[in-house]
């Protein structure tokens, strides 16, 4: 029996963008649902989409307000923001409101598809809570708290391990500086503390810390751990 195609809800008020996404996603086996405004997008949640692609510049509802509304109604559904707004403050706000990723227009279809796959893998990981995470040469046993790079054990400080654990639990998702600071220190707001620990962690888990393969920087926004291939 063939599995039902994954449903992707595209929310964008530009017909050419919707057409481009409909054609690109359909050829990859996705079932595409479309909404041209916030009101119809909320109604389309009744179709139970597996992933949402959201443009923030809609005619009837503020994009960030709609994002918060979608996240409250569909807590487990990955949301990828696809927007012409490239300002860092807007990106950070969208990610803090629950977006799984943020891509600016113009965009490449291959990159969008890769980000979608990462968001869907993260959703499955959260639901399954796999005890051992593996990507490339890096493995993290969340039960026994064992970290390996290839066959070599990696010794981490408690704070370094906490940072890695949070990244693993959200692998494939962009985590903002604010989110990570709140998770790790509660009362700290200076992202420099976070940068220091990310640099230390990269020295231990990256094959080449100057060209990281696993802990990726989203400039001005935060960090993302590469999802398993």
């Amino acid at each position: 029996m063939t599995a039902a195609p994954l449903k992707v809800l595209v929310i964008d008020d530009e017909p050419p963008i919707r057409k481009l996404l409909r054609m690109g996603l359909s050829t990859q086996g996705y079932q595409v649902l479309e909404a041209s405004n916030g009101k119809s997008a909320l109604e389309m949640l009744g179709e139970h989409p597996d992933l949402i692609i959201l443009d923030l510049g809609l005619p009837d509802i503020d994009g960030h307000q709609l994002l918060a509304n979608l996240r409250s109604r569909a807590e487990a559904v990955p949301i990828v923001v696809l927007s012409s707004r490239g300002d860092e403050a807007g990106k950070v706000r969208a990610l803090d409101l629950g977006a799984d990723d943020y891509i600016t227009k113009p965009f490449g279809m291959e990159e969008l598809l890769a980000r979608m796959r990462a968001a869907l893998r993260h959703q499955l990981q959260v639901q399954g809570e796999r005890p051992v995470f593996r990507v490339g040469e890096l493995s993290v046993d969340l039960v026994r708290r064992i970290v390996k790079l290839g066959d070599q054990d990696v010794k981490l400080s408690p704070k370094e391990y906490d940072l890695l654990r949070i990244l693993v639990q959200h692998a494939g998702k962009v985590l903002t500086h604010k989110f990570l600071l709140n998770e790790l220190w509660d009362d700290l707001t200076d992202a420099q503390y976070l940068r220091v620990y990310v640099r230390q962690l990269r020295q231990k888990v990256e094959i080449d810390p100057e060209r990281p393969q696993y802990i990726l920087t989203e400039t001005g926004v935060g960090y993302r751990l590469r999802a398993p291939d």
Side-chain angles (χ1 to χ4, degrees):
M1 182 173 67
T2 304
L6 294 178
K7 296 180 183 178
V8 178
L9 172 57
V10 174
I11 308 170
D12 198 301
D13 65 331
E14 299 182 62
I17 296 293
R18 293 202 307 275
K19 180 179 179 180
L20 173 66
L21 291 172
R22 183 192 322 124
M23 294 174 61
L25 296 177
S26 296
T27 60
Q28 297 298 314
Y30 293 103
Q31 177 183 346
V32 181
L33 311 172
E34 298 180 37
S36 60
N37 56 55
K39 182 176 182 294
S40 58
L42 293 173
E43 293 172 352
M44 291 296 289
L45 288 181
E47 298 292 326
H48 305 293
D50 298 291
L51 183 141
I52 297 171
I53 297 176
L54 170 65
D55 174 32
L56 295 178
L58 297 173
D60 59 338
I61 301 177
D62 173 77
H64 288 100
Q65 178 184 339
L66 177 60
L67 171 58
N69 204 333
L70 290 169
R71 177 50 72 220
S72 67
R73 297 191 186 193
E75 294 182 0
V77 178
I79 300 175
V80 176
V81 170
L82 185 62
S83 177
S84 58
R85 302 178 186 178
D87 62 292
E88 291 179 2
K91 289 183 181 180
V92 170
R93 186 181 177 198
L95 293 164
D96 281 340
L97 286 171
D100 291 82
D101 212 334
Y102 193 115
I103 304 175
T104 54
K105 299 176 182 177
F107 63 95
M109 182 59 69
E110 290 302 317
E111 179 186 5
L112 174 61
L113 289 167
R115 298 290 186 103
M116 288 171 55
R117 290 192 295 269
L120 289 165
R121 282 196 298 266
H122 170 246
Q123 178 200 31
L124 291 174
Q125 181 187 344
V126 169
Q127 292 174 345
E129 289 296 331
R130 292 177 299 172
V132 180
F133 171 88
R134 291 186 177 87
V135 59
E137 294 291 307
L138 178 65
S139 67
V140 184
D141 188 326
L142 295 176
V143 175
R144 297 187 294 164
R145 296 172 66 94
I146 295 174
V147 180
K148 288 179 176 288
L149 189 62
D151 295 329
Q152 300 298 315
D153 288 341
V154 178
K155 303 300 182 185
L156 301 178
S157 71
K159 190 63 71 176
E160 290 167 351
Y161 178 81
D162 286 342
L163 171 58
L164 181 58
R165 173 181 53 79
I166 293 168
L167 290 168
V168 165
Q169 290 172 337
H170 298 276
K173 181 173 180 178
V174 180
L175 303 181
T176 64
H177 296 130
K178 179 181 177 182
F179 175 85
L180 288 167
L181 285 167
N182 287 340
E183 290 290 308
L184 291 165
W185 287 286
D186 294 326
D187 56 348
L188 285 181
T189 58
D190 187 352
Q192 185 58 33
Y193 286 93
L194 180 60
R195 294 188 187 99
V196 169
Y197 277 95
V198 169
R199 184 165 59 249
Q200 292 176 182
L201 188 56
R202 280 175 170 161
Q203 292 291 332
K204 296 181 178 181
V205 303
E206 295 282 0
I207 297 171
D208 182 354
E210 298 303 316
R211 296 176 178 81
Q213 302 178 41
Y214 307 129
I215 304 173
L216 308 177
T217 298
E218 298 288 338
T219 304
V221 177
Y223 301 97
R224 172 169 56 91
L225 183 67
R226 196 180 104 198
D229 299 325

